[in-house]
Amino acid sequence: MSRLVYADNAATTQLDTAAFKAMLPFLTNEYGNASQPYAFARKPKKALQDARETIASCIGAAPEEIFFTSGGTESDNWAIKGSALLNVCKHAVVTSAFEHHAVLHPCQVLERSGYPVAYMRPSQEGYITAEILKRYMTSQTHLTSVMFANNEIGTVQPVKELCAVAHENGSLFHTDAVQTVGHVSINVHDIGVDMLSASAHKFNGPKGVGFLYIRNGLKIMPYSDGGAQEFGLRAGTENVAGIVGMAVALKNNCDALEENTRYVEGLDSMLVSILDRSDIKYVRNGGTSRLPGLLSLSFPDADGGAILHRLDLTGICISTGSACNGTSTDISHVLQAVQLEDRYAKGTIRISLGKANTEEDVEAIVKALMKIFRT
Ligand code: PLP
């Protein structure tokens, strides 16, 4: 059996060891409910407070602007539905055609209840520019939602500029930063964003936990009604262990951000330079502003699904840019949005390298690709 080469860090990441250790007491002895007034609840309550402060400091927010959720999907749903349903005067949403389904599907729910939603087409390089956004803004636009970085092609959007355009036109601005938080330096107050979604398992935290940043003073509908948790806006007993793990993982990633970026970019360049020296024909999708370590590669006239399965047989985990459905291979909505030619789109794979990958992993990936393409 070949050793595992995990190169799908945009799908999920390995849990940080320190985060795991920090979670353990709250899964065992410290099981008190943080909402209770007695002494046994003090530790979990304090742990939640500390986690909120740590997370806030990692993204330049205030602690009361951090709302714990069950992950990126919940944060996106809450931001979109929670802000749209509150405003009765203006009710149009502008988003992009290459958002994650956690944004697109709630937008489609709004559409079905009569909200106009405009889906901006990104440039062929994979960017929503300020000029593109300006064309879609109307006096009715209540919410603009553009992802910070695309999960398939890794392009990092000019979020600060987009946010300024939205505000100039009287719209709120939300960004799905699930692929970005913990990997790119973010200061929410500097960007001026109203809401920002994040998910712990994308930055070496545990699965099933995340947060939504909601700017101080911004009113949105509660996500759930019941208890008074999360300042009365998201009822439900908190996932204390998950939240503690998320804070430790985020702090560790943010403290080592530059070092991690340099390291992963080194692996990224190494992979590209070995590929370039081979006879394999390919194009790399996305322009120059990209997430470190995310390579969307298209091999003309190849089948991305088949490449994934061949790599899987040698213990290498990557992902495709297409969703396979039995007999036919559908081209993903992201690759369609950037208008990638079909013969390239069908042969697209996503390799996402992380801080735990090594040069040996990169060599193994390229070697396996060479075997597939027999160069
Ligand atoms: N948004 C983006 C850009 C993502 O990449 C993902 C997960 O792949 C999500 C949202 C959903 O996050 P979660 O898995 O935490 O629900």
Side-chain angles (χ1 to χ4, degrees):
M1 180 68 190
S2 3
R3 88 185 162 91
L4 174 76
V5 175
Y6 185 77
D8 199 19
N9 289 278
T12 198
T13 53
Q14 188 176 17
L15 183 61
D16 179 291
T17 312
F20 172 67
K21 285 193 182 136
M23 291 169 73
L24 274 179
F26 300 98
L27 293 166
T28 51
N29 301 334
E30 299 296 342
Y31 55 85
N33 186 321
S35 299
Q36 291 298 68
Y38 41 69
F40 183 54
R42 265 186 224 140
K43 272 204 182 147
K45 193 181 294 175
K46 172 83 168 51
L48 288 179
Q49 215 173 34
D50 291 348
R52 210 182 296 280
E53 282 168 17
T54 301
I55 289 169
S57 73
C58 288
I59 61 161
E64 67 277 13
E65 295 177 310
I66 303 298
F67 295 77
F68 299 129
T69 66
S70 66
T73 302
E74 180 183 320
S75 299
D76 286 342
N77 269 265
W78 187 12
I80 289 160
K81 295 178 194 158
S83 56
L85 297 176
L86 201 68
N87 196 311
V88 286
C89 306
K90 299 209 283 182
H91 60 270
V93 177
V94 172
T95 188
S96 80
F98 72 167
E99 296 293 313
H100 191 273
H101 286 130
V103 165
L104 291 177
H105 289 175
C107 283
Q108 286 158 11
V109 170
L110 288 180
E111 258 186 314
R112 285 199 289 277
S113 30
Y115 278 73
V117 180
Y119 300 92
M120 296 179 280
R121 189 196 280 277
S123 68
Q124 282 184 306
E125 284 200 315
Y127 298 97
I128 297 290
T129 60
E131 287 62 42
I132 296 176
L133 178 58
K134 280 179 195 163
R135 293 204 291 271
Y136 284 84
M137 300 302 303
T138 73
S139 59
Q140 282 301 305
T141 309
H142 172 56
L143 176 70
T144 304
S145 180
V146 180
M147 67 203 317
F148 210 128
N150 185 274
N151 50 300
E152 271 189 43
I153 54 174
T155 48
V156 178
Q157 308 303 318
V159 169
K160 190 171 176 175
E161 285 173 43
L162 299 177
C163 187
V165 172
H167 288 165
E168 278 157 23
N169 287 274
S171 165
L172 294 173
F173 189 83
H174 163 252
T175 187
D176 172 343
V178 166
Q179 292 290 342
T180 332
V181 170
H183 302 287
V184 170
S185 170
I186 293 179
N187 184 308
V188 282
H189 290 169
D190 174 52
I191 298 168
V193 67
D194 297 294
M195 291 174 286
L196 176 145
S197 304
S199 174
H201 74 103
K202 306 288 187 179
F203 51 77
N204 307 95
K207 293 172 180 59
V209 62
F211 66 89
L212 178 65
Y213 158 81
I214 307 177
R215 170 181 56 74
N216 248 330
L218 175 67
K219 297 240 169 324
I220 74 167
M221 293 276 284
Y223 180 76
S224 52
D225 301 299
Q229 293 91 351
E230 297 310 294
F231 312 104
L233 288 180
R234 200 254 185 194
T237 303
E238 303 89 346
N239 171 4
V240 181
I243 291 165
V244 166
M246 167 164 69
V248 172
L250 183 57
K251 174 101 175 71
N252 281 350
N253 267 16
C254 289
D255 285 351
L257 201 77
E258 282 176 27
E259 189 188 317
N260 290 345
T261 303
R262 230 176 300 121
Y263 177 69
V264 174
E265 278 177 353
L267 295 179
D268 183 320
S269 313
M270 178 183 165
L271 198 151
V272 170
S273 71
I274 312 180
L275 258 189
D276 285 347
R277 287 199 303 272
S278 77
D279 293 338
I280 303 176
K281 288 195 178 43
Y282 79 99
V283 292
R284 183 171 185 173
N285 302 307
T288 48
S289 173
R290 278 190 300 243
L291 283 173
L294 196 152
L295 297 99
S296 170
L297 308 177
S298 297
F299 302 91
D301 306 316
D303 177 343
I307 301 173
L308 181 150
H309 293 302
R310 290 281 301 275
L311 292 178
D312 187 28
L313 289 174
T314 60
I316 298 171
C317 305
I318 54 110
S319 117
T320 61
S322 314
C324 302
N325 72 4
T327 51
S328 67
T329 303
D330 291 330
I331 294 167
S332 83
H333 70 286
V334 173
L335 300 182
Q336 284 181 36
V338 297
Q339 294 173 278
L340 189 64
E341 240 183 281
D342 274 16
R343 60 184 284 252
Y344 283 91
K346 284 183 180 151
T348 299
I349 60 168
R350 177 189 71 184
I351 299 169
S352 45
L353 302 167
K355 62 182 182 181
N357 285 116
T358 59
E359 294 191 350
E360 288 72 42
D361 291 347
V362 169
E363 278 161 6
I365 295 168
V366 188
K367 202 169 144 202
L369 285 173
M370 285 179 175
K371 212 166 156 195
I372 293 171
F373 291 101
R374 294 185 195 289
T375 65

